[in-house]
Amino acid sequence: MSRRPTSSTQAIPEVGDVPRHLAMIMDGNGRWAKKRFLPRVAGHKRGLETVRAMVKACISRKIDFLTLFAFSSENWRRPVEEVSFLMGLFVTALQGEIGKLHANGVRLKVVGDLSAFEPRLLALIREGEALTSGNTKLTLTICANYGGRWDVLQAMNQLALAHPERVGHFGEADLAPHLAMAHAPEPDLFVRTGGEQRISNFLLWQLAYSELYFTDILWPDFDAAALDAAIASYRERERRFGRTSDQLTAVPPAPIFSNSVSTSGNA
Ligand code: IPE
Ligand code: IPE
Ligand code: MG
């Protein structure tokens, strides 16, 4: 199988029984905590356990890419205490998990507008990425201060700056290498927990042909069995990429040989 990311609008991607790339919006932490009369941040803390479980589950299901939406470009609008708790949790998680991720063959990537992060967090991200860059079991991408619109715009600006003479003539293939997820194929399956049925400015470009799956399960309660239910739903989908159903099920025509043409009636 080709390792080169394919654009679903330029070529028809290979489709397997298990998604090669799973992208998830981890939603419902606050409500999980509220139901238990705990502060919202307790839900975020607990949500980290689901992240660990998903990494493990993806490795054992031979999913190559897991992408998690951890903090959106709009999440800065939350109360300052919650934002700083989330930043602190990110630091703690990196400190505690990088060694384990590396030992398990996971390559870590963090994408988004990282310029907003404090130097200590930025250094940990860079260290973690460098340490794990050669790993091949699973690519875990954390989207932090990420927004789909930010992504398309930053890619477009990079491209225009690199090739000012070609502005007005760019195609998809020119833009693709500048997008934040250039290291991965497009997601096959998108899962959002927590009951909301929206994209919330996640991978707007990359989700063009992804299968969408929404569940009411809150992120801290999501587990391997819930993931298997999502994959089972994915398997039932007919991924047409613009073609008709008949085109997908059509049996390729049998080869016609000139000496097998019927001569009946000519004897
Ligand atoms: C998702 O859970 C985590 C982040 C956005 C960081 P929420 O915090 O959005 O949980 P709910 O939606 O309020 O329950
Ligand atoms: C999306 O969740 C962002 C993350 C999970 C990081 P939100 O909970 O912030 O989304 P909205 O605001 O309800 O759409
Ligand atoms: Mg939410």
Side-chain angles (χ1 to χ4, degrees):
M1 189 188 278
S2 153
R3 294 279 114 182
R4 198 165 49 83
T6 342
S7 157
S8 57
T9 49
Q10 301 290 296
I12 294 162
E14 285 177 60
V15 173
D17 262 0
V18 172
R20 189 173 161 213
H21 182 175
L22 167 67
M24 309 182 92
I25 295 188
M26 314 187 278
D27 198 18
N29 293 349
R31 280 162 285 165
W32 181 92
K34 201 168 178 194
K35 265 177 35 182
R36 287 162 180 78
F37 306 101
L38 294 169
R40 289 178 53 82
V41 296
H44 298 318
K45 210 168 153 204
R46 183 57 208 270
L48 186 56
E49 284 176 37
T50 306
V51 173
R52 286 193 200 102
M54 285 305 109
V55 168
K56 211 169 134 207
C58 285
I59 293 173
S60 64
R61 283 155 187 75
K62 299 198 172 0
I63 290 170
D64 294 333
F65 296 86
L66 171 64
T67 300
L68 302 174
F69 203 5
F71 191 87
S72 76
S73 40
E74 289 69 45
N75 284 147
W76 297 105
R77 296 168 177 164
R78 293 191 177 198
V80 68
E81 312 79 56
E82 183 169 341
V83 170
S84 64
F85 180 90
L86 284 166
M87 294 300 148
L89 186 64
F90 199 7
V91 169
T92 318
L94 286 167
Q95 284 168 337
E97 305 298 320
I98 285 172
K100 286 181 250 173
L101 291 173
H102 187 44
N104 285 296
V106 177
R107 171 171 72 141
L108 175 72
K109 290 276 206 184
V110 180
V111 303
D113 181 3
L114 307 187
S115 67
F117 294 151
E118 61 162 82
R120 187 171 57 129
L121 177 53
L122 215 47
L124 273 168
I125 290 170
R126 295 301 175 223
E127 260 171 56
E129 287 185 330
L131 177 72
T132 62
S133 63
N135 294 339
T136 55
K137 265 247 154 73
L138 173 76
T139 296
L140 169 65
T141 306
I142 304 295
C143 297
N145 193 19
Y146 178 90
R149 291 186 179 180
W150 164 85
D151 193 3
V152 174
L153 283 169
Q154 67 80 28
M156 197 203 70
N157 284 321
Q158 274 191 52
L159 181 59
L161 285 170
H163 299 285
E165 75 291 352
R166 291 182 45 221
V167 167
H169 303 280
F170 295 131
E172 250 201 50
D174 298 310
L175 193 73
H178 299 284
L179 290 162
M181 294 299 300
H183 60 282
E186 291 171 24
D188 299 291
L189 176 60
F190 159 97
V191 171
R192 182 175 187 144
T193 63
E196 311 299 350
Q197 304 200 354
R198 54 180 175 247
I199 304 291
S200 300
N201 198 17
F202 193 28
L203 306 163
L204 297 180
W205 178 280
Q206 298 84 349
L207 292 174
Y209 264 112
S210 307
E211 296 300 326
L212 307 181
Y213 181 87
F214 298 93
T215 171
D216 289 339
I217 300 174
L218 304 172
W219 179 254
D221 292 327
F222 197 84
D223 59 11
L227 175 62
D228 285 335
I231 295 172
S233 164
Y234 169 79
R235 282 204 181 114
E236 306 257 293
R237 314 284 177 93
E238 187 174 65
R239 303 194 70 193
R240 293 194 284 275
F241 299 102
R243 296 163 295 173
T244 68
S245 188
D246 287 348
Q247 282 176 296
L248 288 180
T249 51
V251 181
I256 299 168
F257 300 105
S258 54
N259 62 358
S260 69
V261 172
S262 168
T263 52
S264 60
N266 289 342

